[in-house]
Amino acid sequence: KFQIEHKNDSEDNNIIHKNKDKMYTINQLSLGGQRIRFNTKCLNSNNTNDVERNKREIYVCNTFQRACAILGQSLRVLNLGGTDIPIPTLCDSILSVPSFQTNLMRLHFGGNGLGDAGMSLLASNIGKGKFKNLRTLDLRYNDIGHMGCLVLVNDVLLGIDSQRLGENGCSAENETTISPPTFSHASTTPIQKLYLEGNAIGDEGANYLGKALKDSNISLTDLYLGANGIGPDGAVGLATGVRFNRTLRQLYLEGNHIGPSGANAFSNVLEELNTLGIDNEEENEQQQQQRVLETLYVDNNGIGKDSTKRLCAALQSSSAITDGF
């Protein structure tokens, strides 16, 4: 049952309204923090109570699947953050619905303890271009490590086989002079905002993302990587990706430990881009608008006063970065 709710006081309106004459379409549905559980422990039990409970669980699950099939026709935003919904249920009940794959634009699934295994299953269901209009993917606080990040990069961002990037590797050493790699794409997902704060991708995961940023098919404009255990090597990999990227506007690295060397890696790249803009101003004007990082969040990274000042100058804005101490 849907509780009647009609809000017109915000930019993101939620309309859930029903009467005997008509039912308005639902564009946004938030179940964040609600514990959605499907009890499967009593499936093979002969206990009378378990059998009755199992019937209820099957009914709830089937009802949920039917509701998803209907909602998918109009739903654009789905928030299942902190619901603990089992990932197989999410994939079978929601992500497999063709209308969801066509219409969904924002999926919020933070705080569900995916881990690398859950990330792999999720990526196989939303990757390879299945969700053609998905613009925002929120996976913060999901215990995703570097292997989960690898699958996310391959299946979702690049649309290639999961083994491909691992074969190419992603060394943080001496990559600033290497030309951007080319990938054989099956089909990419046009994600613009990717939230990965509070995971554990580390330097390896950051390097995978840095290599992905070099690819011309990437659409990312905002990348959130706060509190991921990223050090100097990971920062070098990300900076190298920024060197070749044409879309990324904001990069969030707060609460990591990139240090002065990581900050200087970004400064080196940005200073080089600024020099290119001066040397060939007319040709580079349009490229400059598409590729130069506007804002870099590096607070609580221990980068030091001198590196902070240099990075500020490289970004050509005193307010473009936050405190790096």
Side-chain angles (χ1 to χ4, degrees):
K1 296 181 180 179
F2 294 125
Q3 180 179 358
I4 295 176
E5 182 179 358
H6 194 172
K7 296 181 179 179
N8 279 322
D9 55 350
S10 66
E11 181 179 351
D12 293 330
N13 292 330
N14 294 324
I15 301 178
I16 303 177
H17 182 76
K18 182 178 180 181
N19 58 36
K20 64 180 180 180
D21 297 322
K22 61 181 178 179
M23 182 174 182
Y24 293 98
T25 57
I26 300 172
N27 294 324
Q28 302 182 43
L29 178 62
S30 177
L31 297 174
Q34 306 299 317
R35 299 303 184 204
I36 302 175
R37 300 181 185 277
F38 299 95
N39 189 347
T40 58
K41 294 180 180 180
C42 51
L43 275 173
N44 299 317
S45 173
N46 292 322
N47 183 284
T48 303
N49 292 332
D50 285 346
V51 170
E52 290 301 316
R53 184 186 304 169
N54 186 47
K55 290 180 180 178
R56 291 195 299 271
E57 294 293 341
I58 292 175
Y59 173 77
V60 170
C61 189
N62 290 339
T63 302
F64 185 67
Q65 290 175 330
R66 290 197 301 271
C68 289
I70 296 172
L71 290 171
Q73 299 173 17
S74 62
L75 205 63
R76 302 292 184 271
V77 181
L78 179 62
N79 180 6
L80 293 173
T83 57
D84 289 340
I85 184 172
I87 189 65
T89 301
L90 173 69
C91 296
D92 294 341
S93 300
I94 301 177
L95 301 182
S96 62
V97 178
S99 54
F100 264 109
Q101 296 177 0
T102 301
N103 297 323
L104 196 64
M105 298 182 69
R106 288 163 50 190
L107 175 61
H108 299 270
F109 201 68
N112 282 295
L114 280 175
D116 288 346
M119 183 67 252
S120 180
L121 182 55
L122 179 63
S124 67
N125 279 269
I126 66 176
K128 307 294 179 61
K130 294 178 183 177
F131 282 72
K132 301 184 183 302
N133 292 302
L134 188 62
R135 298 294 187 269
T136 299
L137 181 60
D138 181 357
L139 297 173
R140 68 187 90 184
Y141 302 106
N142 263 302
D143 303 321
I144 298 170
H146 70 276
M147 292 306 297
C149 185
L150 173 62
V151 175
L152 171 64
V153 165
N154 286 343
D155 290 4
V156 180
L157 296 183
L158 296 176
I160 63 176
D161 292 335
S162 293
Q163 192 177 0
R164 181 68 180 276
L165 190 60
E167 291 175 349
N168 290 339
C170 190
S171 173
E173 300 293 332
N174 302 321
E175 286 207 21
T176 54
T177 59
I178 298 176
S179 299
T182 56
F183 295 105
S184 176
H185 295 266
S187 184
T188 58
T189 301
I191 293 175
Q192 296 175 348
K193 296 185 178 182
L194 178 61
Y195 296 81
L196 287 173
E197 306 106 300
N199 286 292
I201 69 170
D203 286 340
E204 290 184 77
N207 278 311
Y208 293 141
L209 286 165
K211 179 166 272 191
L213 286 173
K214 299 177 186 179
D215 191 271
S216 60
N217 289 277
I218 290 295
S219 304
L220 285 176
T221 60
D222 299 76
L223 180 57
Y224 298 77
L225 298 176
N228 262 287
I230 299 172
D233 287 348
V236 171
L238 288 168
T240 305
V242 169
R243 167 65 179 83
F244 297 105
N245 186 265
R246 300 294 183 270
T247 61
L248 192 67
R249 299 288 190 180
Q250 298 190 92
L251 177 59
Y252 296 75
L253 286 171
E254 69 280 5
N256 288 289
H257 47 88
I258 68 172
S261 60
N264 290 336
F266 281 104
S267 295
N268 291 337
V269 166
L270 293 169
E271 288 167 357
E272 180 186 357
L273 293 176
N274 293 338
T275 302
L276 289 174
I278 294 173
D279 291 344
N280 197 356
E281 188 170 350
E282 291 184 5
E283 180 182 344
N284 209 52
E285 182 177 358
Q286 185 176 0
Q287 293 181 358
Q288 194 90 343
Q289 294 173 354
Q290 294 177 344
R291 75 181 179 189
V292 174
L293 192 68
E294 294 178 350
T295 309
L296 179 62
Y297 292 82
V298 291
D299 52 316
N300 298 319
N301 266 282
I303 70 176
K305 185 176 181 179
D306 292 340
S307 295
T308 299
K309 287 183 177 180
R310 183 187 174 196
L311 192 53
C312 246
L315 283 164
Q316 299 179 331
S317 171
S318 60
S319 60
I321 68 172
T322 58
D323 177 55
F325 300 100

mmCIF file of all heavy atoms in Angstrom, residues 275-293:
data_model
loop_
_atom_site.group_PDB
_atom_site.id
_atom_site.type_symbol
_atom_site.label_atom_id
_atom_site.label_comp_id
_atom_site.label_asym_id
_atom_site.label_seq_id
_atom_site.Cartn_x
_atom_site.Cartn_y
_atom_site.Cartn_z
ATOM 1 N N THR A 275 49.610 25.081 -19.411
ATOM 2 C CA THR A 275 50.613 25.469 -20.401
ATOM 3 C C THR A 275 50.116 25.184 -21.816
ATOM 4 O O THR A 275 50.302 25.995 -22.738
ATOM 5 C CB THR A 275 51.932 24.707 -20.167
ATOM 6 O OG1 THR A 275 52.397 24.985 -18.846
ATOM 7 C CG2 THR A 275 52.989 25.112 -21.187
ATOM 8 N N LEU A 276 49.472 24.054 -22.000
ATOM 9 C CA LEU A 276 48.902 23.733 -23.309
ATOM 10 C C LEU A 276 47.894 24.778 -23.731
ATOM 11 O O LEU A 276 47.816 25.176 -24.886
ATOM 12 C CB LEU A 276 48.229 22.354 -23.273
ATOM 13 C CG LEU A 276 49.145 21.127 -23.190
ATOM 14 C CD1 LEU A 276 48.311 19.865 -23.014
ATOM 15 C CD2 LEU A 276 50.010 21.033 -24.437
ATOM 16 N N GLY A 277 47.094 25.239 -22.763
ATOM 17 C CA GLY A 277 46.086 26.249 -23.065
ATOM 18 C C GLY A 277 46.704 27.557 -23.505
ATOM 19 O O GLY A 277 46.180 28.258 -24.374
ATOM 20 N N ILE A 278 47.861 27.926 -22.929
ATOM 21 C CA ILE A 278 48.530 29.174 -23.298
ATOM 22 C C ILE A 278 49.190 29.048 -24.664
ATOM 23 O O ILE A 278 49.122 29.945 -25.499
ATOM 24 C CB ILE A 278 49.582 29.544 -22.233
ATOM 25 C CG1 ILE A 278 48.881 29.866 -20.910
ATOM 26 C CG2 ILE A 278 50.430 30.726 -22.682
ATOM 27 C CD1 ILE A 278 49.831 30.086 -19.754
ATOM 28 N N ASP A 279 49.804 27.883 -24.923
ATOM 29 C CA ASP A 279 50.542 27.695 -26.171
ATOM 30 C C ASP A 279 49.633 27.646 -27.384
ATOM 31 O O ASP A 279 50.023 28.048 -28.477
ATOM 32 C CB ASP A 279 51.357 26.393 -26.111
ATOM 33 C CG ASP A 279 52.503 26.507 -25.104
ATOM 34 O OD1 ASP A 279 52.821 27.646 -24.722
ATOM 35 O OD2 ASP A 279 53.051 25.459 -24.713
ATOM 36 N N ASN A 280 48.434 27.116 -27.202
ATOM 37 C CA ASN A 280 47.531 26.972 -28.339
ATOM 38 C C ASN A 280 46.129 27.357 -27.904
ATOM 39 O O ASN A 280 45.235 26.533 -27.836
ATOM 40 C CB ASN A 280 47.563 25.523 -28.847
ATOM 41 C CG ASN A 280 46.993 25.397 -30.248
ATOM 42 O OD1 ASN A 280 46.505 26.366 -30.825
ATOM 43 N ND2 ASN A 280 47.051 24.188 -30.796
ATOM 44 N N GLU A 281 45.948 28.619 -27.633
ATOM 45 C CA GLU A 281 44.733 29.084 -26.962
ATOM 46 C C GLU A 281 43.483 28.869 -27.783
ATOM 47 O O GLU A 281 42.471 28.403 -27.292
ATOM 48 C CB GLU A 281 44.886 30.571 -26.639
ATOM 49 C CG GLU A 281 43.765 31.103 -25.767
ATOM 50 C CD GLU A 281 44.061 32.506 -25.275
ATOM 51 O OE1 GLU A 281 45.202 32.975 -25.445
ATOM 52 O OE2 GLU A 281 43.133 33.130 -24.746
ATOM 53 N N GLU A 282 43.512 29.168 -29.095
ATOM 54 C CA GLU A 282 42.307 29.056 -29.912
ATOM 55 C C GLU A 282 41.864 27.610 -30.061
ATOM 56 O O GLU A 282 40.711 27.264 -29.858
ATOM 57 C CB GLU A 282 42.557 29.664 -31.297
ATOM 58 C CG GLU A 282 42.724 31.177 -31.266
ATOM 59 C CD GLU A 282 42.861 31.731 -32.670
ATOM 60 O OE1 GLU A 282 42.733 30.928 -33.633
ATOM 61 O OE2 GLU A 282 43.084 32.943 -32.805
ATOM 62 N N GLU A 283 42.797 26.731 -30.397
ATOM 63 C CA GLU A 283 42.468 25.324 -30.592
ATOM 64 C C GLU A 283 42.075 24.665 -29.288
ATOM 65 O O GLU A 283 41.252 23.763 -29.258
ATOM 66 C CB GLU A 283 43.670 24.596 -31.195
ATOM 67 C CG GLU A 283 43.421 23.107 -31.431
ATOM 68 C CD GLU A 283 44.649 22.416 -31.980
ATOM 69 O OE1 GLU A 283 45.556 23.128 -32.461
ATOM 70 O OE2 GLU A 283 44.706 21.176 -31.917
ATOM 71 N N ASN A 284 42.657 25.116 -28.195
ATOM 72 C CA ASN A 284 42.484 24.426 -26.923
ATOM 73 C C ASN A 284 41.329 24.952 -26.093
ATOM 74 O O ASN A 284 40.986 24.376 -25.086
ATOM 75 C CB ASN A 284 43.769 24.553 -26.096
ATOM 76 C CG ASN A 284 43.972 23.375 -25.176
ATOM 77 O OD1 ASN A 284 43.930 22.251 -25.637
ATOM 78 N ND2 ASN A 284 44.203 23.638 -23.911
ATOM 79 N N GLU A 285 40.692 26.034 -26.547
ATOM 80 C CA GLU A 285 39.657 26.656 -25.723
ATOM 81 C C GLU A 285 38.506 25.705 -25.447
ATOM 82 O O GLU A 285 38.069 25.535 -24.316
ATOM 83 C CB GLU A 285 39.138 27.920 -26.406
ATOM 84 C CG GLU A 285 38.092 28.647 -25.570
ATOM 85 C CD GLU A 285 37.641 29.931 -26.240
ATOM 86 O OE1 GLU A 285 38.159 30.274 -27.318
ATOM 87 O OE2 GLU A 285 36.749 30.590 -25.676
ATOM 88 N N GLN A 286 38.013 25.038 -26.490
ATOM 89 C CA GLN A 286 36.906 24.109 -26.302
ATOM 90 C C GLN A 286 37.343 22.890 -25.504
ATOM 91 O O GLN A 286 36.633 22.423 -24.608
ATOM 92 C CB GLN A 286 36.358 23.670 -27.662
ATOM 93 C CG GLN A 286 35.116 22.786 -27.544
ATOM 94 C CD GLN A 286 34.536 22.458 -28.902
ATOM 95 O OE1 GLN A 286 35.061 22.890 -29.926
ATOM 96 N NE2 GLN A 286 33.466 21.709 -28.922
ATOM 97 N N GLN A 287 38.550 22.357 -25.784
ATOM 98 C CA GLN A 287 39.043 21.203 -25.037
ATOM 99 C C GLN A 287 39.231 21.549 -23.570
ATOM 100 O O GLN A 287 38.944 20.756 -22.686
ATOM 101 C CB GLN A 287 40.373 20.745 -25.628
ATOM 102 C CG GLN A 287 40.243 20.182 -27.030
ATOM 103 C CD GLN A 287 41.572 19.706 -27.571
ATOM 104 O OE1 GLN A 287 42.594 19.826 -26.902
ATOM 105 N NE2 GLN A 287 41.568 19.174 -28.764
ATOM 106 N N GLN A 288 39.700 22.778 -23.303
ATOM 107 C CA GLN A 288 39.939 23.205 -21.935
ATOM 108 C C GLN A 288 38.651 23.163 -21.128
ATOM 109 O O GLN A 288 38.625 22.736 -19.989
ATOM 110 C CB GLN A 288 40.509 24.632 -21.945
ATOM 111 C CG GLN A 288 41.096 25.062 -20.622
ATOM 112 C CD GLN A 288 42.562 24.711 -20.545
ATOM 113 O OE1 GLN A 288 43.049 23.903 -21.321
ATOM 114 N NE2 GLN A 288 43.266 25.311 -19.624
ATOM 115 N N GLN A 289 37.552 23.602 -21.741
ATOM 116 C CA GLN A 289 36.267 23.609 -21.057
ATOM 117 C C GLN A 289 35.786 22.197 -20.760
ATOM 118 O O GLN A 289 35.069 21.961 -19.800
ATOM 119 C CB GLN A 289 35.229 24.341 -21.915
ATOM 120 C CG GLN A 289 35.522 25.829 -22.080
ATOM 121 C CD GLN A 289 34.575 26.487 -23.059
ATOM 122 O OE1 GLN A 289 33.763 25.822 -23.696
ATOM 123 N NE2 GLN A 289 34.677 27.786 -23.200
ATOM 124 N N GLN A 290 36.172 21.241 -21.574
ATOM 125 C CA GLN A 290 35.680 19.886 -21.421
ATOM 126 C C GLN A 290 36.522 19.040 -20.466
ATOM 127 O O GLN A 290 36.044 18.073 -19.931
ATOM 128 C CB GLN A 290 35.636 19.197 -22.794
ATOM 129 C CG GLN A 290 34.629 19.817 -23.737
ATOM 130 C CD GLN A 290 34.667 19.166 -25.098
ATOM 131 O OE1 GLN A 290 35.624 18.468 -25.430
ATOM 132 N NE2 GLN A 290 33.655 19.390 -25.903
ATOM 133 N N ARG A 291 37.781 19.401 -20.280
ATOM 134 C CA ARG A 291 38.645 18.449 -19.601
ATOM 135 C C ARG A 291 39.242 18.932 -18.291
ATOM 136 O O ARG A 291 39.679 18.125 -17.478
ATOM 137 C CB ARG A 291 39.769 18.034 -20.530
ATOM 138 C CG ARG A 291 40.848 19.086 -20.709
ATOM 139 C CD ARG A 291 41.901 18.602 -21.671
ATOM 140 N NE ARG A 291 42.938 19.590 -21.880
ATOM 141 C CZ ARG A 291 43.874 19.475 -22.802
ATOM 142 N NH1 ARG A 291 43.880 18.415 -23.571
ATOM 143 N NH2 ARG A 291 44.779 20.398 -22.949
ATOM 144 N N VAL A 292 39.353 20.223 -18.041
ATOM 145 C CA VAL A 292 40.084 20.691 -16.875
ATOM 146 C C VAL A 292 39.261 20.539 -15.604
ATOM 147 O O VAL A 292 38.123 20.973 -15.531
ATOM 148 C CB VAL A 292 40.518 22.160 -17.044
ATOM 149 C CG1 VAL A 292 41.141 22.691 -15.768
ATOM 150 C CG2 VAL A 292 41.506 22.287 -18.190
ATOM 151 N N LEU A 293 39.896 19.927 -14.606
ATOM 152 C CA LEU A 293 39.277 19.746 -13.300
ATOM 153 C C LEU A 293 39.015 21.110 -12.663
ATOM 154 O O LEU A 293 39.882 21.971 -12.627
ATOM 155 C CB LEU A 293 40.215 18.927 -12.420
ATOM 156 C CG LEU A 293 39.670 18.368 -11.119
ATOM 157 C CD1 LEU A 293 38.625 17.296 -11.390
ATOM 158 C CD2 LEU A 293 40.813 17.795 -10.285
#
